[in-house]
Amino acid sequence: IDGYLFIENIGRVFVNGLNLEQLETKLFNLLKRVYSSLDPVNGNSSTFFDVSLGSLVLRPLRIFALGEVRTPGAYEVRPTTTFFTSLFYFRGPTNRGSLRDIRLMRNGKQVAKIDFYDYLSSGNRNGDVKLLRNDVVFIPRRGKTVVCRGEIFRQAKYELKEDEGLRELIDIAGGISTTTYTKLAQIERIIPFEKRKEMSMDRTIIDIDLEDILSSDSNFELFDGDIITFFKISNIRSNSIRINGTVKRPGEYEFYE
């Protein structure tokens, strides 16, 4: 833990940052000064030296998984386990758990956080750290959640952070497709309970011009429970005519003045 070993007849030896092979080489060079039989001048060694990891180092770590996890409780994990890989031990969050705000608590303080969407979209394991004994992996309740459907790359249910809106949702969902109608998207919204009496309704529909959002820095605020529908462009080709009858090649042709 302190980065050094204490060896009798040699004293303190700093080993911080060394792998096992480097450690063995360093200790051999130090020990042969005291124990000449390790590396005698005539080359016939009578004492041999080896470095291995003892049972104390390989002893499993005990961590705790709490919050919206499938099987909360204490777990014994490998000493090499990191914050990220620990999620596989308790099978991650439940359907009610957050994927955007997975927290690592140590001595009552948050020391790291994982946004799993970053990993799914880019492969980066940002926020990953090595676990220590008695660390707590805490998964809070899922935050603002919206449904994305229609002409979008990945139709699914998504969890958004409080400051994320329609632009961020489109990015998370992989972007609009080539067949998306950009003049109109529609949101089905449940009116927040504190506004229902004022508006005299429980649900509402909101039409949005996607071109305004995509062609500027503006955004559109989304609320928990919103259902966003992206529509498909028309199949009509307005600059074509169809020729049938006794012609060599009947079919559809480009029309121009």
Side-chain angles (χ1 to χ4, degrees):
I1 295 175
D2 295 324
Y4 67 87
L5 301 174
F6 185 83
I7 302 175
E8 189 177 356
N9 298 326
I10 292 178
R12 182 178 295 185
V13 180
F14 286 93
V15 297
N16 188 30
L18 300 182
N19 59 35
L20 193 60
E21 182 179 357
Q22 294 169 332
L23 174 61
E24 186 171 6
T25 300
K26 182 172 184 177
L27 292 179
F28 180 81
N29 290 332
L30 291 172
L31 288 169
K32 73 180 183 180
R33 299 174 187 174
V34 179
Y35 304 100
S36 58
S37 56
L38 272 175
D39 189 22
V41 177
N42 61 14
N44 296 320
S45 301
S46 59
T47 304
F48 300 94
F49 169 74
D50 182 51
V51 175
S52 63
L53 297 176
S55 59
L56 182 63
V57 177
L58 297 177
R59 188 174 61 185
L61 290 176
R62 183 185 62 185
I63 66 169
F64 298 90
L66 300 175
E68 294 294 338
V69 297
R70 299 182 187 278
T71 49
Y75 288 84
E76 287 192 346
V77 300
R78 295 175 182 269
T80 56
T81 301
T82 67
F83 182 21
F84 190 94
T85 57
S86 70
L87 302 180
F88 297 97
Y89 282 87
F90 48 86
R91 301 171 57 198
T94 66
N95 290 333
R96 299 185 302 272
S98 174
L99 284 172
R100 309 295 307 275
D101 186 23
I102 303 174
R103 306 169 189 173
L104 176 62
M105 311 299 293
R106 181 174 295 161
N107 298 323
K109 297 180 180 180
Q110 181 176 316
V111 295
K113 183 173 72 171
I114 288 178
D115 182 347
F116 209 75
Y117 280 17
D118 284 345
Y119 173 71
L120 296 176
S121 61
S122 64
N124 293 325
R125 290 165 59 167
N126 297 323
D128 200 14
V129 297
K130 190 176 182 303
L131 295 183
L132 300 181
R133 184 171 297 276
N134 293 327
D135 277 353
V136 176
V137 178
F138 179 76
I139 301 181
R141 195 177 73 174
R142 187 180 65 202
K144 179 171 62 177
T145 305
V146 301
V147 175
C148 188
R149 65 188 185 186
E151 290 299 307
I152 194 75
F153 190 72
R154 288 189 292 266
Q155 300 183 56
K157 181 183 291 186
Y158 293 100
E159 179 186 0
L160 299 180
K161 297 179 180 179
E162 285 304 317
D163 59 345
E164 290 179 338
L166 184 58
R167 292 179 67 91
E168 289 78 16
L169 173 64
I170 293 173
D171 290 339
I172 292 171
I176 61 175
S177 67
T178 56
T179 56
T180 304
Y181 181 56
T182 58
K183 292 296 293 181
L184 176 66
Q186 197 169 79
I187 297 177
E188 299 175 42
R189 175 168 295 169
I190 299 174
I191 303 297
F193 68 90
E194 67 272 11
K195 295 183 178 180
R196 291 175 192 170
K197 184 176 181 181
E198 174 188 344
M199 300 181 67
S200 299
M201 63 176 73
D202 297 328
R203 299 176 182 267
T204 186
I205 290 179
I206 304 170
D207 291 338
I208 302 171
D209 188 336
L210 273 183
E211 287 186 358
D212 290 343
I213 302 295
L214 298 175
S215 62
S216 67
D217 294 331
S218 61
N219 206 343
F220 190 88
E221 186 178 8
L222 297 176
F223 292 87
D224 187 39
D226 280 356
I227 301 175
I228 301 93
T229 302
F230 297 86
F231 297 102
K232 189 176 182 179
I233 57 175
S234 171
N235 290 326
I236 298 173
R237 293 180 286 271
S238 58
N239 67 329
S240 66
I241 58 172
R242 178 171 292 279
I243 301 176
N244 292 318
T246 53
V247 293
K248 288 186 177 181
R249 282 187 285 273
E252 200 166 13
Y253 292 87
E254 178 187 3
F255 174 78
Y256 50 90
E257 294 296 335

